[in-house]
Amino acid sequence: MREGIEENPMKSSRSNTKAVFLCGGRGKRMFPIAEDKFLLDFLGKPLLEHQTEVASQAGLSHFVMVGNPENITKIKQITKRIAGIEVDFALQRRSLGIADALKSAEPLLRGQLLVINPNDVFSSSAYTKIIAAAKKTPASSYILGYQVQKYFPGGYLQVNSRNELLHIVEKPSPGEEPSNLVNILIHCHSNSKELLRYIEAVQTTRDDVYECALDNMVKAGHKIKVVPYNGFWAPIKYPWHIFKVMEYFLDKVQPCIASSARISEKATIEGKVVLSENVRVLENAVIRGPVYIGANSIVGNNALVRDYSHIGANSVIGYSTEVKHSYIGDNCWFHSNYVGDSIIDDNSSLGAGTVLANFRLDEGDIQIKVGDNMVDTGYDKLGAIVGRGCRIGVNASLMPGVRVGSDSVVGPQVCLHHDLGANKMVLGASRYQVTDNKTSLDEGKRRELLDKLRG
Amino acid sequence: MREGIEENPMKSSRSNTKAVFLCGGRGKRMFPIAEDKFLLDFLGKPLLEHQTEVASQAGLSHFVMVGNPENITKIKQITKRIAGIEVDFALQRRSLGIADALKSAEPLLRGQLLVINPNDVFSSSAYTKIIAAAKKTPASSYILGYQVQKYFPGGYLQVNSRNELLHIVEKPSPGEEPSNLVNILIHCHSNSKELLRYIEAVQTTRDDVYECALDNMVKAGHKIKVVPYNGFWAPIKYPWHIFKVMEYFLDKVQPCIASSARISEKATIEGKVVLSENVRVLENAVIRGPVYIGANSIVGNNALVRDYSHIGANSVIGYSTEVKHSYIGDNCWFHSNYVGDSIIDDNSSLGAGTVLANFRLDEGDIQIKVGDNMVDTGYDKLGAIVGRGCRIGVNASLMPGVRVGSDSVVGPQVCLHHDLGANKMVLGASRYQVTDNKTSLDEGKRRELLDKLRG
Amino acid sequence: MREGIEENPMKSSRSNTKAVFLCGGRGKRMFPIAEDKFLLDFLGKPLLEHQTEVASQAGLSHFVMVGNPENITKIKQITKRIAGIEVDFALQRRSLGIADALKSAEPLLRGQLLVINPNDVFSSSAYTKIIAAAKKTPASSYILGYQVQKYFPGGYLQVNSRNELLHIVEKPSPGEEPSNLVNILIHCHSNSKELLRYIEAVQTTRDDVYECALDNMVKAGHKIKVVPYNGFWAPIKYPWHIFKVMEYFLDKVQPCIASSARISEKATIEGKVVLSENVRVLENAVIRGPVYIGANSIVGNNALVRDYSHIGANSVIGYSTEVKHSYIGDNCWFHSNYVGDSIIDDNSSLGAGTVLANFRLDEGDIQIKVGDNMVDTGYDKLGAIVGRGCRIGVNASLMPGVRVGSDSVVGPQVCLHHDLGANKMVLGASRYQVTDNKTSLDEGKRRELLDKLRG
C-alpha cells in the first residue's frame, strides 16, 4: 500500500458508495482562526464529527478522509470514535486542490464516490437527495446545485432543460449568472476510476484541475446531472461565517441541562439552553437561549449570555460580563466585559472592563481587509475576532471587526483599531504628567454623601 | 387679519382674561439642548402642555400662543389637543423681547391680559393668586413677586407699604436688593390696549421696552399691584435647571405601572415609579423612584435607575447601566454605562463602558463656561449634558459638566475634558507600539485557577 | 518619674511578668500604608487591641507600651479601654531598635519581662508556651523559635541539643541556616535589670544592640532557652503581608449579622460573613465569605464581595463593584470597579469603571521595588496598594502591584504603571482631534434594533 494510505480491512454490507471528505486544504482567509474549520467545535463536538454523523445517518458507511500532515492525527481520533462506519485515511502532502486530494486517495477509490467538502455545512437532505438522484437517474456524475435567492460569489452551474451540466462558470459578475444554481461540493461520481482518468488528463497550471475534468467529461458526452438543493447550506470561508453555522446548530439542538450542572436558584435560564456537565451558573446570572455552554464552564454573578451564543468547555464568563451572539472557545476567561458578535478562540482572556465594540459609530457594515481587498462582512454588528492563546489587558477596547492573531497580547487600555498579527504584543504609549497635588478636600462631604445614600 | 395671526372663531363663556404665552424667544444659554425649553417633555408631555393645563385648571380658557417660525407648528399641535380651551396664535418673527412679542399678538389682545413666560414652571396657585388679586383689588396691572429666601440674580420689585410697584431694579448686586420680591413673568394687565399704548411710546435701543413701559405706567400714576408668591417656581435658563423641573414633576406624579408594561419577577420596583405603555424591565433590574420611564423603553438586566430620573420613550437602559438623577430623552441607548446627574437629549447613545463622571476629583462645584463667563452651576454632582443625535464610543469618559453639541461623535476611549460643538467628531490620538510577544504562559495555571474558582 | 514614663499606680494580683510591647519603631517598607501596622484595624479593632487581648487571655495582666511621640496617644486610647489589665507607657523618642526601646522604658522594668513585637501576629499559644517554659525550666531568658518549613529571610537560632541558644545568625543565605528555628520577638527575660546591664555594656554602632546583648549573655554562661513554636505567625513587614493577617482573623471570626444591618431579600449572604452595625446590603448583591464588613458600610446593587475580603466602616462598595480578596479601609467609595487582591487605606475612592488589575499579562509573580531592590511578593495575583485619602478618577487602570502614596490623585483614564508618591497628582496627556462630523445615520435603524431587542 502506498505511503499515507490506510485502508480499513473490515468491510460493511451497507451502501457501497465511498464518501470522500476533503480535509487536506488549508484556509487562507480564516485568519486569525488557526484551526481547520472542520475541527471547530459545535455543541461539544468537532464539526467533522457532526458532518460524518449526518452522512452516516443518510446511509453512508464507507468514508475516506483525506487529511494533511498537520491534521491527520486529529481526524483519525475524531472519526475512529464514531460507531458503525468504516474509515480509510489518505494523506495529501500539498494543498493543491480537489484533484490533488483525490489523487492522494487514489488507491482507496473504487466504484461510486461522493466527494464532500467538510467545511461546508449541509442538512442531511443534501446527502439523501444526491443519493436518491444517483439511484433514480443513470448518469456519470451528480452535482448538488444550491438554489440561491440572491447573488453569491461562487461557481455557477450552466445546465440544460433536463438539469444536465453544460459548463461551470467561476464567479460570474452579478447579473451574469447562467442560472440560480451554485456548485457546492457534494458531488457523486459513478465511476471513480473514470473520474481519475479525466483528472490525470487535464493540462493546466491553475488549481481548477477537477473542474476542468468535469468540463471535459461533459464535452466527451458524459451526463452530469445537477441535483437542485435549497436546504441549509453554510460555507465557512471567513471567520464570521462561523456565526451562521453556530446558529444552525443552536437551532437544531434540544435544550438540556446536565444533571451535574449546578445552577443558583437566583439565576435565570430562559429559552433553549444547553448546559453541559459540571457547568456552574452563579447568582443573578441570566442565560437567554439559544445558548450552548460547554463542560466545566462557569457563568459568573450577574453575567448575561444571550442571543445565540456558544461557549466552549472550561471557560469563565466572569462577573458582570455580557456575551451576545458570540462564539467562544474552550478555556477562555472573561471578567466584566462586553463581548458582542465576536469570535474568540481557545485559551484567550480579557481583562476587566475590556469591551469588544460591535457597532460602528457611523452604524455602517463592518468591512475586513483580506489581502489587499476590503471584504464586506454583511454584518452591521460585528465585534472582534481573536485567535487562540491571546491575552487582552484591562479596560482595552477592540474596534468592530478587529482581528487579533493567536498568542498575541493587547496591553491595558489599548484602543485597537487595526488587526494584529500572531505572536505580537501591543502596548499603549502611556503618557501622563505627575505634579504635586494642590487640591484639598472638605472632610465633611463624604459623611454627608454617605448619610444621603443611606437614606 | 394680519399675517401670522390666527384667531379662534369660537368664544367660550368662561373667564374673559386672555393668557398670552410668550413662546417666541430663543434661549442662548441652553446649549447643547437645542429644543425650546417649553417643548421639553416631562412625564410624556411637552412642558407647554403641562403649563397650559395648569392655567386651564386655574380657570383660564382663552390663550394666545406667540411663537416663532420654527416652533409655531409644534405649538399648534400641542395646544390643539388640549380639551376645553380656545387658542389663538401669533407669530413673532424676531426674538426681541416681551414688548415685541405682545406687539406681534396685538390684534388678538383685548380686555384683561395675563402675560406668561412658559419657560418658567409654577404651581397653579401662581395663577389663582394673581387672578384673585385682580378680582379683589382694582389696579392697572398685577405682577407676581416671588419671595426669595436668598439672593437670586433677577429683577427685583421695589414696592411701597401697600405692595404697589415703585420700580423694577434689574439684577442688583447681592445686598442691594430693594425687597425680597423677584419679578416673575405672570403679569396681569386690566387693559390690553392701554399697555400696548405705553409699549409703543417707549424710546429705547435696549430690549427692556416692556419693563420701561411698566415703569412709565407707574410714573403716570397707574397702580401696579405686586402679588407675593412663595409656591414652586423654577425658571429654565441653563440646561441644569431642567433637574429642578424634573424633580418637581416626579414629586407631583402619581405612581403608575401601565398594564402593558412587562416586568420580570426578578426586577425590583421601589418607591414612586411611573412605567409607561409597553415598558419592559428585565431580570435583576432595580428602579428606585421617583423615576419616570417613557413608552416602549427597556430597562435591561441588572440596570439601576434611581434617585429622580426621567427617561423618555423608546430608550434602552441596557445591561449593567446605572442612571442616577438624570434626564434622558427619547430613543437613547445606553449599555454598561454610568450616567449620573446628566442630561441626554433624544437619539443619543453611549458605547459600553462609557462613564459620565459627575464628581470632580477636588469635589468642588461644577462651573460651566457660558460665553466668556464661568457660571457656577451650584451642583457638586453634575455629569455631562449631551445634545440630540450624539454617539459616544466605548470606554469613553466625559468629565463633569462637559457639554456635547447635537449630532456630534465622541470616539472610543476619548477622555473629554472640554465642550464639543454641534456636528463635530472627536477621536483619540491612539498611540501604541507593536512588538513581538516574548512572554509565554504556564499552561497549567489556568486549570489551577479554574479549579480554585470552582471551589 | 522620668519624662515619658507613666506608671500605673494600681497593681493586680495576677502574673507578675511584664509584657513590653515595642510600638515605637517606624516601618520603612510599608509604603504607601502610613499607619503603624499595629494600628491597622481588623474586625473593627486595631491590631494592638487584638494583640493585647490575646496576651491577656494567656494570663498576662501587666503591660508596658513603648510608643513614639506620634502614636502614643492612640496607643493609650486603645489599651485603656481593655478591661482587666494594667498598662504603663513609655516614650521612645528615636527609632533605634529594641535595646533603645527597652532603655526608654527602664524605670518600668522590674522582675520578669516579656518583650513583644506587636507587628507580628501569633496565636495565644505563643504566649502560653513561653510562659510555661519559663515556669518549668530555670533559665536567664526564653526565646520563641518559629519552626520554618522553608527558607525565611530572618534571624536563625543556633542551638545545642538541649535547645539552648548558642548564637543568633542574622539572615543566613538559603542552605546555610544553622537550624529551622527563626528568632521571633516573644522573648522572656527572668531578670530585667540584668538584661538592661548587658544592653548598657554593648559597644556597637549598628542597631543590633539587643542581639549583641543576648550573645554576650550566652558567652557569659547565661542559659537562654529556645522554645519551639509552630502555631500561627505572620509578621507585617510589607503591605501585602496584611493579607495573611486578614485571612487569619477572617478564619477565626464567628459569622455574625448585626440586628441593625439591613439586607435586601434579593441579596445573597453565603459562607462566613460578619456584617457590623447598620450595614446595608442592596438588591442582588452577593457576599461570599469569609468576609467582614464594618459598621455603616453599604454593599450596593449587584456588588460582589468575596474570597477573604475585609471592608472597614462607612465605606461604599457601590453598584456593580467586585471586591475579591482585598483589605479596604474606612470611608472608601467604590463604584463599578474591580478591586482584586488590593489594599486600600482609609478615605480613598475609585471613579466608575476603574480597574485595579491583579494579574500580569505574562502571569508571573508580582515584584515590587523597595529602595533599589525588587522584592518578589510571592503573589501572582496582586492588585494595587493605595494609601489613605486618595482619589482615582473614572475608567483608570492601575497595574498589578502599583502603589499610590497617601493623599494623591490619579486622573481619569490614566493607566498607571509606576508607583506614585504621597501627595501627587497624575493626569493623562489627553490627546484628541476634533473635526467636523461627516457621518450620517439611517434613522430607521434604531427603531429596527429596538423592535429586535423587544422581541
Side-chain angles (χ1 to χ4, degrees), chain C residues 212-237:
Chain C
C212 291
L214 295 193
D215 257 4
N216 291 344
M217 285 173 70
V218 169
K219 282 176 195 153
H222 284 284
K223 194 155 75 174
I224 300 187
K225 185 85 186 169
V226 172
V227 182
Y229 170 69
N230 60 7
F232 182 77
W233 174 51
I236 308 183
K237 284 190 175 138

Coordinates of all heavy atoms in Angstrom, one line a residue, chain C residues 212-237:
Chain C
C212 N 23.3 41.6 70.3 CA 24.6 41.5 70.9 C 24.6 41.2 72.4 O 25.3 40.4 72.9 CB 25.4 42.8 70.7 SG 25.8 43.1 68.9
A213 N 23.6 41.9 73.1 CA 23.5 41.7 74.5 C 23.1 40.2 74.8 O 23.7 39.6 75.7 CB 22.4 42.6 75.1
L214 N 22.2 39.6 73.9 CA 21.9 38.2 74.1 C 23.1 37.3 73.9 O 23.4 36.4 74.7 CB 20.7 37.8 73.2 CG 19.4 38.5 73.4 CD1 18.3 37.7 72.5 CD2 18.9 38.5 74.8
D215 N 23.8 37.6 72.8 CA 25.0 36.9 72.5 C 26.0 36.9 73.7 O 26.6 35.9 74.1 CB 25.7 37.4 71.3 CG 25.4 36.5 70.1 OD1 24.7 35.5 70.2 OD2 26.0 36.8 69.0
N216 N 26.2 38.1 74.2 CA 27.1 38.3 75.4 C 26.6 37.6 76.6 O 27.4 37.0 77.4 CB 27.2 39.8 75.7 CG 28.0 40.5 74.6 OD1 28.7 39.9 73.8 ND2 27.9 41.8 74.6
M217 N 25.3 37.5 76.8 CA 24.8 36.8 77.9 C 25.1 35.3 77.8 O 25.6 34.6 78.7 CB 23.2 36.9 78.0 CG 22.8 38.3 78.6 SD 21.0 38.5 78.5 CE 20.4 37.3 79.7
V218 N 25.0 34.8 76.5 CA 25.3 33.4 76.3 C 26.8 33.1 76.6 O 27.2 32.2 77.3 CB 25.0 33.0 74.8 CG1 25.6 31.6 74.5 CG2 23.4 33.0 74.6
K219 N 27.6 34.1 76.0 CA 29.1 33.9 76.2 C 29.4 33.9 77.7 O 30.3 33.2 78.2 CB 29.8 35.0 75.5 CG 29.9 34.8 74.0 CD 30.6 36.0 73.4 CE 30.4 36.0 71.9 NZ 30.4 37.3 71.3
A220 N 28.7 34.7 78.5 CA 29.0 34.8 80.0 C 28.4 33.6 80.7 O 28.4 33.6 82.0 CB 28.4 36.1 80.5
G221 N 27.8 32.7 80.0 CA 27.3 31.5 80.7 C 25.8 31.5 81.1 O 25.3 30.6 81.6
H222 N 25.1 32.6 80.7 CA 23.7 32.6 80.9 C 23.0 31.6 80.0 O 23.3 31.4 78.9 CB 23.1 34.0 80.6 CG 23.4 35.0 81.7 ND1 22.7 35.0 82.9 CD2 24.3 36.0 81.7 CE1 23.2 36.0 83.6 NE2 24.2 36.6 83.0
K223 N 22.0 30.9 80.5 CA 21.3 30.0 79.7 C 20.1 30.7 79.1 O 19.2 31.3 79.8 CB 20.8 28.8 80.6 CG 20.3 27.6 79.8 CD 20.4 26.3 80.6 CE 19.3 26.2 81.7 NZ 19.3 24.9 82.3
I224 N 20.0 30.6 77.8 CA 18.9 31.2 77.0 C 18.2 30.0 76.3 O 18.7 29.4 75.4 CB 19.3 32.3 76.0 CG1 20.0 33.4 76.8 CG2 18.1 32.8 75.2 CD1 20.3 34.6 75.9
K225 N 17.0 29.8 76.8 CA 16.3 28.6 76.3 C 15.5 29.0 75.1 O 14.7 30.0 75.1 CB 15.3 28.1 77.4 CG 14.6 26.9 77.2 CD 15.4 25.6 77.6 CE 14.6 24.4 77.2 NZ 15.5 23.2 77.3
V226 N 15.6 28.1 74.0 CA 14.7 28.4 72.8 C 13.5 27.5 72.9 O 13.6 26.3 73.1 CB 15.5 28.1 71.5 CG1 14.6 28.1 70.3 CG2 16.7 29.1 71.4
V227 N 12.3 28.1 72.8 CA 11.0 27.4 72.9 C 10.5 27.3 71.5 O 10.1 28.3 70.9 CB 10.1 28.2 73.8 CG1 8.7 27.4 73.9 CG2 10.7 28.5 75.1
P228 N 10.5 26.1 71.0 CA 10.0 25.9 69.6 C 8.5 26.2 69.5 O 7.7 25.9 70.4 CB 10.2 24.4 69.3 CG 11.2 24.0 70.3 CD 10.9 24.8 71.6
Y229 N 8.1 26.8 68.4 CA 6.7 27.2 68.1 C 6.4 27.0 66.7 O 7.1 27.4 65.8 CB 6.6 28.7 68.5 CG 5.2 29.3 68.1 CD1 4.0 28.9 68.8 CD2 5.2 30.3 67.2 CE1 2.8 29.5 68.5 CE2 3.9 30.9 66.8 CZ 2.8 30.5 67.5 OH 1.6 31.0 67.1
N230 N 5.2 26.3 66.5 CA 4.8 26.1 65.1 C 3.4 26.5 64.8 O 2.7 26.1 63.9 CB 5.1 24.7 64.6 CG 4.3 23.7 65.4 OD1 3.5 24.1 66.3 ND2 4.6 22.4 65.2
G231 N 2.8 27.3 65.7 CA 1.5 27.9 65.6 C 1.5 29.0 64.5 O 2.4 29.2 63.8
F232 N 0.4 29.8 64.5 CA 0.3 30.8 63.5 C 1.3 31.9 63.8 O 1.5 32.4 64.9 CB -1.1 31.4 63.5 CG -1.3 32.5 62.5 CD1 -1.4 32.2 61.1 CD2 -1.3 33.9 62.8 CE1 -1.6 33.2 60.2 CE2 -1.4 34.8 61.9 CZ -1.5 34.5 60.5
W233 N 2.0 32.4 62.8 CA 2.9 33.5 62.9 C 2.8 34.3 61.6 O 3.1 33.8 60.5 CB 4.3 33.1 63.2 CG 5.3 34.2 63.2 CD1 5.2 35.4 63.8 CD2 6.5 34.3 62.4 NE1 6.3 36.2 63.6 CE2 7.1 35.5 62.7 CE3 7.2 33.4 61.6 CZ2 8.3 35.9 62.2 CZ3 8.4 33.8 61.0 CH2 9.0 35.0 61.3
A234 N 2.5 35.6 61.7 CA 2.5 36.4 60.5 C 3.1 37.7 60.8 O 2.5 38.6 61.5 CB 1.1 36.6 59.9
P235 N 4.4 38.0 60.4 CA 5.0 39.3 60.5 C 4.4 40.2 59.5 O 4.0 39.8 58.4 CB 6.4 39.0 60.2 CG 6.5 37.8 59.4 CD 5.2 37.0 59.6
I236 N 4.3 41.5 59.8 CA 3.8 42.5 58.8 C 5.0 43.4 58.5 O 5.3 44.3 59.2 CB 2.6 43.4 59.2 CG1 1.5 42.5 59.7 CG2 2.1 44.3 58.1 CD1 0.2 43.2 60.2
K237 N 5.7 43.1 57.4 CA 6.9 43.9 57.1 C 6.6 44.7 55.8 O 7.0 45.8 55.7 CB 8.1 43.0 56.8 CG 8.7 42.5 58.1 CD 10.0 41.9 58.0 CE 10.6 41.5 59.3 NZ 11.2 40.2 59.4

